[in-house]
Each structure stands twice: as C-alpha cells, then as structure tokens.
Amino acid sequence: EAENIYLSPAVGEKAKRDALQRADRFLGRILKSMNLKKDRIIVIAPSPSEVALRNNDILTPVLMTGDGVTRGILTSEATRQDGIIVNTDIAPTILKFYGLNIPAQMIGQPAYGKSFSQDPLSFLVSANRKWVDQRNFSAPVLKTFVVWSIFIMLMAMVLLLVPSYRPHALRIRPLLLSIPIVPSVFLILPLFDQKSLFTSFIA
C-alpha cells in the first residue's frame, strides 16, 4: 500500500496479490499449529487503505474462528448491528476468551459470532456498498441543509426586525418548519436504499 505511489497499476496489483499470498501462507502455518477446539484466531485489518478512505469506505474485514465462535456473522453489544463491530471491541473479546475481567473504562464489548441465514460474505459486500453510498450521499445533503437553515433564519430576522417587512413574517412559517422537520427525515433515511444523490435530495 505504501509503495503503490511508486508503482504502475499493473505492478501495484501484482505486488498486492503477492502480499496477500504471503499473508495466506503465514496464516496457514499458524493454523497448522493451533487446535481450534480450544484456541481462537482473530484476523483484523485495523484501518482502511488510502483508496478506500478517499471513497468513504471506512469498514475493514474482521474474521474470527475457533473455540466458542458461532459460525455466521460477527456482531457485538456495542453496535447491535449484524456484521459490524468496532476496534474497541477487540480487547474485551480477547479478555473474555481468557476468562479475565473487562475493566470498566473499556468502552467496547466482546464480539461474538451469530448464526446467519444468508451468505455472510454476500450480505457484507452488499451492506458495505449501501453504507458507503449513505456516507457519500449524506454529506452534500447535510451541507445543503445547513446553508438552507442559515438562509431561512436570516430571512426571518430581516422580516421581524424591519418594520415594513413585518406583515410578511407569517408567510415563512412553512419554511421555518423545515428546519426541525428535516433532521427527523435524516433519521429514517437510512431505512431506504438510496441509489443516487438525486434520490437522497428528493427523499
């Protein structure tokens, strides 16, 4: 990843494949020395690549298998969302596996496997695409809302402070109502699959 800026796309892709193959062989050697009936292995990508960050793709893979792990999909009480745990869940997960007390100052919760009826990989790929789209679409919508709110508030101040405009003040009541209403729309917007920036604005 760090050397990619010095490499052509083809050479960079080959270097990436080579690195993944070395990591795969390394994990293979580790797994051969483990007894997954009593051991546990967690594979974590702690941070996204630069390309992923530029695309607002901030979620990274986490895999866990071994003693006490239910086959399916990971979750935790910190997120309560299928397929998502947070970095702060990792330490409590390890402490719980070893039967150690989790300090009160740790904000994470132990991650655990949850049985899942769908194919986990297909679900995660689809869900990640949806989360990335929501992040990409929400930023311009929020900026527009902030500009809109400032404009409406300034208009209301002018109508109230300038005596000759005061009789028209009641006409902007519907516009003033949009300021508290729009945030409530933002809360329910993720429930709908927004396919484009345009549909986000319409919603």
Side-chain angles (χ1 to χ4, degrees), residues 72-146:
I73 202 161
L74 284 177
T75 187
S76 81
E77 293 303 316
T79 64
R80 297 185 181 182
Q81 193 165 354
D82 290 344
I84 294 186
I85 66 170
V86 287
N87 283 348
T88 51
D89 292 336
I90 301 302
T93 302
I94 294 169
L95 290 174
K96 184 179 179 182
F97 175 73
Y98 285 113
L100 301 172
N101 291 329
I102 299 170
Q105 61 266 35
M106 281 191 173
I107 59 174
Q109 296 291 325
Y112 57 91
K114 177 181 177 183
S115 57
F116 203 65
S117 57
Q118 302 178 48
D119 173 46
L121 184 58
S122 299
F123 167 79
L124 289 171
V125 169
S126 173
N128 187 59
R129 192 177 301 115
K130 183 178 177 182
W131 294 321
V132 170
D133 287 344
Q134 285 176 0
R135 286 180 63 86
N136 287 332
F137 297 157
S138 64
V141 174
L142 282 168
K143 288 176 184 175
T144 303
F145 171 65
V146 169

Side-chain angles (χ1 to χ4, degrees), residues 26-43 63-67 69 97-98:
F26 172 67
L27 280 172
R29 289 197 300 271
I30 290 176
L31 285 168
K32 283 180 182 176
S33 67
M34 295 179 70
N35 177 1
L36 294 180
K37 291 182 179 178
K38 63 173 186 173
D39 300 328
R40 184 181 295 184
I41 186 167
I42 308 174
V43 181
L63 298 98
M64 183 165 70
T65 189
D67 179 34
V69 181
F97 175 73
Y98 285 113

Side-chain angles (χ1 to χ4, degrees), residues 103-190:
Q105 61 266 35
M106 281 191 173
I107 59 174
Q109 296 291 325
Y112 57 91
K114 177 181 177 183
S115 57
F116 203 65
S117 57
Q118 302 178 48
D119 173 46
L121 184 58
S122 299
F123 167 79
L124 289 171
V125 169
S126 173
N128 187 59
R129 192 177 301 115
K130 183 178 177 182
W131 294 321
V132 170
D133 287 344
Q134 285 176 0
R135 286 180 63 86
N136 287 332
F137 297 157
S138 64
V141 174
L142 282 168
K143 288 176 184 175
T144 303
F145 171 65
V146 169
V147 172
W148 169 261
S149 300
I150 292 170
F151 173 73
I152 296 302
M153 295 303 289
L154 289 174
M155 186 189 296
M157 286 173 58
V158 169
L159 290 173
L160 291 171
L161 295 175
V162 179
S164 59
Y165 290 162
R166 226 169 264 162
H168 304 289
L170 291 178
R171 293 181 181 177
I172 68 160
R173 280 192 301 182
L175 300 180
L176 284 169
L177 278 173
S178 70
I179 296 175
I181 288 173
V182 172
S184 63
V185 174
F186 286 151
L187 290 174
I188 62 171
L189 207 56

